[in-house]
Each structure stands twice: as C-alpha cells, then as structure tokens.
Amino acid sequence: MNSAWLYLIVAGICEIGWAIGLKYTEGFTKLWPTVITVVIMILSFVLLAQAMRTLPVGTAYASWTGIGAVGTVVLGMVLFNEPKDAVRLICIGLIIAGVLGLKFLAKE
C-alpha cells in the first residue's frame, strides 16, 4: 500500500471519529467534546488533502466518505443501538465493495 492510501485510510478513520464526536458535542454546547471533534475534523481534512496530492480527487473523496460512512454506521449500531436490519447491512456491504473497487480496480 502506498502512502497516499495510508493517509486516506487514516483520514477516513478520523472522519468516523469526528462524525461520532458530533453526537457527543450536543450541538456544540459541550466544550471539550467540541474541541476534540474540531481537532479530529482538521486532522481528517489535512490527511485527505495529503492523499489527494497523489490520488485522483474522485477516488480519494469517494473512498474517504465511504470509509467514514461505513465506520460511522457500524459505530452507531454499537454505541447508540441504531438499527441492525438486513437492508442496512447489505447497504454497508455495497459501500465497502465500492471503496474496494476504487482501490483495486480503478486506474490511478
């Protein structure tokens, strides 16, 4: 794996962190959850920008949002007891397939 994809994966993990963090900020009314969430947001964007120095913008952005979406949905199920129905799980699988397709099948 090249460094651009490593940046992108870590950026996606940071996106999961700030998306979940938004829940804990309670509309940006809690100081420390807000500070931590904003720092993770900035880190996510910086890492995404680094990945985009090499990767095509469409591949990088779609993969970043896909990683973030899947991770956020899964953590929502675990942390907030969100629904775990079959349709939701199939949709998560489709997002994963799309990200993997961009990684392994798309020309860079």
Side-chain angles (χ1 to χ4, degrees), residues 72-74 76-77 82-93:
T72 302
V73 169
V74 170
M77 291 176 185
E82 293 178 359
K84 302 168 185 73
D85 55 276
V87 172
R88 211 168 152 95
L89 297 174
I90 290 168
C91 290
I92 291 170

Side-chain angles (χ1 to χ4, degrees), residues 62-71 73 88-102:
S63 298
W64 177 70
T65 58
I67 293 165
V70 168
V73 169
R88 211 168 152 95
L89 297 174
I90 290 168
C91 290
I92 291 170
L94 291 171
I95 296 170
I96 292 169
V99 171
L100 292 174
L102 288 171

